[in-house]
Amino acid sequence: MEGSSDKQGKGTKLAGAGRRKEWTGPVVNPPVWRASTHLYPDEAARKAGGKNNSDGQFYYGRRGAPTQWALAEALTQIEPGAFGTVLYPSGVAAITGALLAVLRPGDVLLVTDNAYEPTRLAALGLLRDFGVETRFFDPTDIDGFSAHFCERTKAVMLEVPGSLTMEMCDIPALAAIARGKGAVSLLDNTWASPLGFPVLERGCDIAVMSLTKHVGGHSDLMMGSASAGEHYYRKLRRTAQALGHVVSPDDASLALRGLRTMGVRLEKSTASAAEIAHWLKGRPEIAHVLCPTLPGDTGFDLWQRDFTGGCGLFSFILKGSDEDARARFVDALDLFGIGYSWGGFESLVIPFGPASIRTATPWPPQGWDTGDRLGIRLSIGLEDAEDLIRDLDRGFAAMERT
Ligand SMILES: *Cc1c(COP(=O)(O)O)cnc(C)c1O
């Protein structure tokens, strides 16, 4: 599955991606093909069709139908360097599915210390049970990275910025070291999407994304994807088929709808997040704003160097350690729902404290007042930034009350 013209801009690609005539027919979007059974016109066609286990061929529902093929092809077309994309029933399924595709018993996996927590748990549970050993590393320590490799190190799982704590890291440098050591590198690119960070162009081998977040964009579906060049795509697909991973055509149709507007949604939420982060930086209640798109953030230079976009997700740390005050802040917000997930059109807030799940890096980081440990993560949606700021202001006022 070839990508479309590389000269096209991102908006043009998003509008046209995956819209093959044979899948859409005379309408704009591919219909929802609900199908388990694919019928053959005759015995000769069945015999011919059963032979090649290739994507985009009618065979049986587990291999998808045009709605899913159109979504997979669209994601391939917006990921520079990708040969194909596998869809998974969730982002976590994409992470574990991709890791199972490249690891074998006895292998060692390196995982960034600030990975999404279920990634950590999969490594320490499922993968350990399959004989894979996991070691965690500090993604900001480029000089120390080589030392983590041994003969058995076969894969590196990266994520940028780090989950919850939002550290940037030098992906091209880490990926080059991994490649030099003969290890495959996977990157969870849910934060930036291919619009903000072209994973394969930056030197990684497999781009993983939770489509639940920006691609869905409307908080009403769960899905994941992994895109790669031909070699790894074939491994991903074989493993996904063996695991029986399939996504519903209804959800694929929703994801395609979300994809068309992902560019404008991300532009707006990135701009609003930068404005809100800047405002938060001036608040006396706040010890640290953790937002790589904010000038002055420790990750800002890397973000400017390597990224072509951002999103509405960032965090901050309150001064002090009064958990009740943090709860009053969260409860006073009207426009921010309290919930996990992010990347929807509506803003969300979630309190966090990562100290208990970090093993290779200190939390709080060196140089911070250790009393400042209450984190809050915001997912900025499509509401107007000034309204969100007014809402946050209400939250800070509620902190003062007892
Ligand atoms: C949410 C998330 C996932 C998992 O996606 P689901 O679709 O919820 O399974 C993976 N990585 C990151 C960084 C996430 O935020």
Side-chain angles (χ1 to χ4, degrees), residues 120-177:
R120 252 189 122 82
L121 298 177
L124 295 173
L126 177 80
L127 291 175
R128 189 189 47 200
D129 293 346
F130 279 89
V132 172
E133 184 188 328
T134 296
R135 298 173 189 168
F136 295 94
F137 66 92
D138 176 355
T140 63
D141 179 14
I142 301 292
D143 295 335
F145 186 53
S146 297
H148 293 285
F149 286 79
C150 69
E151 289 284 289
R152 293 188 292 126
T153 309
K154 293 292 156 57
V156 179
M157 184 73 212
L158 299 158
E159 187 176 324
V160 67
S163 260
L164 300 172
T165 45
M166 310 302 294
E167 301 89 354
M168 276 285 149
C169 64
D170 189 338
I171 293 292
L174 296 170
I177 292 169

Side-chain angles (χ1 to χ4, degrees), residues 90-93 95 116 159 163 188 190 210 212-213 222-223 342:
S90 70
V92 165
I95 292 165
Y116 181 59
E159 187 176 324
S163 260
D188 182 337
T190 304
S210 166
T212 308
K213 313 292 166 56
M222 304 281 307
M223 207 183 288
W342 45 282

Side-chain angles (χ1 to χ4, degrees), residues 10-34:
K10 289 178 193 173
T12 312
K13 274 192 184 170
L14 282 177
R19 285 175 49 203
R20 283 201 210 182
K21 263 274 165 293
E22 70 255 40
W23 294 341
T24 60
V27 297
V28 174
N29 298 296
V32 176
W33 289 66
R34 289 202 189 92

Side-chain angles (χ1 to χ4, degrees), residues 53 104 231 233-243:
N53 174 15
R104 293 294 171 267
H231 174 72
Y233 166 71
R234 296 213 184 283
K235 281 181 186 274
L236 291 168
R237 182 163 184 281
R238 201 181 313 128
T239 306
Q241 288 286 297
L243 290 169

Side-chain angles (χ1 to χ4, degrees), residues 50-384:
K51 271 188 202 121
N52 61 345
N53 174 15
S54 62
D55 235 350
Q57 301 277 331
F58 284 106
Y59 178 73
Y60 177 62
R62 205 186 306 110
R63 292 190 197 165
T67 324
Q68 296 96 324
W69 301 338
L71 174 60
E73 182 164 289
L75 293 168
T76 301
Q77 286 173 347
I78 63 167
E79 184 71 63
F83 175 84
T85 297
V86 176
L87 301 175
Y88 299 84
S90 70
V92 165
I95 292 165
T96 54
L99 288 170
L100 286 170
V102 298
L103 288 164
R104 293 294 171 267
D107 289 351
V108 171
L109 165 68
L110 300 182
V111 176
T112 180
D113 201 38
N114 53 14
Y116 181 59
E117 195 177 0
T119 302
R120 252 189 122 82
L121 298 177
L124 295 173
L126 177 80
L127 291 175
R128 189 189 47 200
D129 293 346
F130 279 89
V132 172
E133 184 188 328
T134 296
R135 298 173 189 168
F136 295 94
F137 66 92
D138 176 355
T140 63
D141 179 14
I142 301 292
D143 295 335
F145 186 53
S146 297
H148 293 285
F149 286 79
C150 69
E151 289 284 289
R152 293 188 292 126
T153 309
K154 293 292 156 57
V156 179
M157 184 73 212
L158 299 158
E159 187 176 324
V160 67
S163 260
L164 300 172
T165 45
M166 310 302 294
E167 301 89 354
M168 276 285 149
C169 64
D170 189 338
I171 293 292
L174 296 170
I177 292 169
R179 192 162 284 178
K181 299 276 186 187
V184 49
S185 53
L186 307 90
L187 174 65
D188 182 337
N189 194 35
T190 304
W191 187 83
S193 90
L195 302 186
F197 191 80
V199 173
L200 307 178
E201 271 187 356
R202 296 285 182 271
C204 298
D205 299 301
I206 299 177
V208 178
M209 205 174 13
S210 166
L211 308 182
T212 308
K213 313 292 166 56
H214 300 316
V215 173
H218 295 72
S219 306
D220 52 8
L221 70 92
M222 304 281 307
M223 207 183 288
S225 68
S227 306
E230 184 166 3
H231 174 72
Y232 285 112
Y233 166 71
R234 296 213 184 283
K235 281 181 186 274
L236 291 168
R237 182 163 184 281
R238 201 181 313 128
T239 306
Q241 288 286 297
L243 290 169
H245 280 323
V246 63
V247 305
S248 90
D250 301 77
D251 288 345
S253 178
L254 284 175
L256 272 169
R257 168 172 292 209
L259 189 69
R260 305 299 173 203
T261 59
M262 182 169 74
V264 286
R265 284 187 286 106
L266 283 179
E267 261 173 43
K268 160 121 186 176
S269 58
T270 304
S272 296
E275 189 180 333
I276 293 165
H278 178 76
W279 178 80
L280 286 169
K281 214 170 161 63
R283 291 294 309 201
E285 299 88 347
I286 287 187
H288 305 278
V289 175
L290 312 174
C291 178
T293 63
L294 184 68
D297 186 274
T298 51
F300 181 73
D301 290 345
L302 275 175
W303 179 70
Q304 273 216 315
R305 190 193 74 181
D306 292 344
F307 286 67
T308 53
C311 72
L313 189 80
F314 71 95
S315 301
F316 60 90
I317 306 291
L318 292 171
K319 276 191 191 146
S321 49
D322 182 349
E323 290 199 35
D324 293 337
R326 177 172 68 173
R328 285 196 298 278
F329 173 86
V330 169
D331 287 345
L333 302 177
D334 269 342
L335 298 177
F336 291 82
I338 307 169
Y340 295 104
S341 198
W342 45 282
F345 62 85
E346 84 295 5
S347 291
L348 293 173
V349 60
I350 200 80
F352 72 90
S356 63
I357 57 164
R358 298 287 158 85
T359 51
T361 50
W363 186 268
Q366 266 147 21
W368 284 22
D369 185 332
T370 51
D372 299 332
R373 55 179 186 81
L374 298 178
I376 293 179
R377 188 182 72 180
L378 299 179
S379 174
I380 302 301
L382 301 180
E383 304 89 344
D384 295 293

